[in-house]
């Protein structure tokens, strides 16, 4: 059974700070890992994904994520956040087929 | 332009009534999905479809039916709505070439009273 864990339900930072949103997964085989963003009242939007190769992947709006097989993690980072980055971020795991399994989400609040 | 559109965006239904949520995609994707989101939780898969005229059960199919009359359209049907089905419902699409990237609609907020 694949599981996705986002240990932080809420993260609050100030504008211009760096941020890391954590994601850990459990699965024994090859998987896709991805991050999605959900602004309040809207649907989810794709940010980035990893399957193989360079463990650091770049996404839109300055986001990047790093895959670690040893830690079973795929943490999302941004060097300098903007107020518009306030949203809920979902990590997702896919075992190579069509299905995505989502974590419970992390609410990021960026203070002015 | 939005490639996945849902209707209605919001609905209040009475317990025991029938509810139909509709989804239309212009991505030309083969896969379509219905997810449910409850406050403070992630998304859970209700039904999905990979071809017209065929639907499959997801992780929480009980109390829901789905219909895929064409590649572009995918409906979620609650024959007898219950209070526990109050939630936000998201439709999404993907194709086998997109590496499991999902494209979501804006959601349909359903309140059952």
């Amino acid at each position: 059974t694949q599981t996705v864990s986002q240990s932080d339900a809420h993260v609050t930072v100030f504008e211009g700070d760096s941020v890391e949103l954590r994601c850990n997964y459990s699965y024994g085989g090859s998987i896709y890992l991805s991050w999605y963003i959900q602004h309040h009242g809207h649907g989810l939007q794709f940010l980035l994904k990893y399957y193989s190769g360079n463990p650091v992947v770049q996404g839109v709006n300055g986001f990047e994520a790093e895959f670690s097989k040893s830690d079973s993690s795929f943490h999302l980072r941004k060097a300098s956040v903007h107020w518009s980055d306030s949203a809920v971020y979902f990590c997702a795991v896919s075992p190579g087929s069509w299905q995505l399994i989502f974590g419970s989400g992390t609410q990021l609040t960026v203070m002015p | 332009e939005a490639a996945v559109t849902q209707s209605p965006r919001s609905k209040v239904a009475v317990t025991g009534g029938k509810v139909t949520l509709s989804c239309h995609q212009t991505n030309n994707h083969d896969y379509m999905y219905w997810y449910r989101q409850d406050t403070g939780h992630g998304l859970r898969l209700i039904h999905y479809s990979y071809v017209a005229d065929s639907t499959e059960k997801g992780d929480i199919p009980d109390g829901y039916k789905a219909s895929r009359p064409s590649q572009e359209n995918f409906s979620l049907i609650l024959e007898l709505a219950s209070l526990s089905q109050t939630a936000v419902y998201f439709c999404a699409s993907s194709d086998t070439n997109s590496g499991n990237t999902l494209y979501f609609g804006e959601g349909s907020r359903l309140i059952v009273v």
Side-chain angles (χ1 to χ4, degrees):
Chain A
T1 303
Q2 307 93 31
T3 62
V4 184
S5 173
Q6 293 182 248
S7 55
D8 298 317
H10 300 275
V11 172
T12 301
V13 295
F14 288 95
E15 200 165 22
D17 286 350
S18 63
V19 70
E20 179 177 87
L21 305 182
R22 294 180 292 186
C23 174
N24 291 88
Y25 64 91
S26 65
Y27 186 72
S30 298
I31 54 173
Y32 288 90
L33 292 156
S34 51
W35 279 94
Y36 288 76
I37 180 174
Q38 183 183 31
H39 286 104
H40 182 70
H42 294 276
L44 280 71
Q45 289 181 287
F46 171 76
L47 270 182
L48 48 77
K49 70 182 173 189
Y50 170 83
Y51 179 66
S52 64
N54 189 336
V56 179
V57 291
Q58 305 294 325
V60 297
N61 295 332
F63 285 97
E64 67 174 30
E66 183 167 6
F67 167 71
S68 171
K69 186 173 183 179
S70 59
D71 293 339
S72 297
S73 67
F74 189 56
H75 301 329
L76 181 71
R77 301 190 296 244
K78 187 169 183 178
S80 178
V81 294
H82 186 262
W83 64 267
S84 62
D85 293 324
S86 293
V88 180
Y89 292 79
F90 290 96
C91 181
V93 168
S94 177
S97 63
W98 49 268
Q99 185 177 6
L100 264 68
I101 300 165
F102 289 90
S104 56
T106 297
Q107 170 71 60
L108 175 64
T109 301
V110 181
M111 305 291 285
Chain B
E1 290 187 25
V4 179
T5 55
Q6 297 182 225
S7 63
R9 291 293 313 280
S10 180
K11 183 175 180 65
V12 178
V14 295
T15 303
K18 182 177 181 178
V19 176
T20 299
L21 304 179
S22 299
C23 180
H24 179 81
Q25 57 108 351
T26 57
N27 295 322
N28 200 31
H29 286 167
D30 42 7
Y31 281 88
M32 295 188 74
Y33 313 81
W34 276 106
Y35 284 91
R36 167 179 173 152
Q37 184 178 42
D38 295 281
T39 303
H41 292 81
L43 280 74
R44 293 181 291 172
L45 182 65
I46 307 170
H47 285 287
Y48 69 98
S49 168
Y50 55 85
V51 68
D53 295 321
S54 177
T55 64
E56 306 293 333
K57 294 180 179 179
D59 298 323
I60 54 164
D62 292 345
Y64 303 94
K65 290 172 56 178
S67 173
R68 183 95 181 267
S70 64
Q71 184 183 34
E72 298 80 17
N73 295 293
F74 191 39
S75 297
L76 185 68
I77 303 149
L78 290 66
E79 296 278 6
L80 296 170
S82 67
L83 296 174
S84 63
Q85 293 177 311
T86 293
V88 180
Y89 293 85
F90 287 98
C91 177
S93 72
S94 72
D95 68 32
T96 52
N97 298 319
S98 67
N100 302 50
T101 300
L102 267 59
Y103 297 84
F104 284 85
E106 291 285 271
S108 296
R109 179 175 296 276
L110 174 65
I111 298 173
V112 182
V113 298

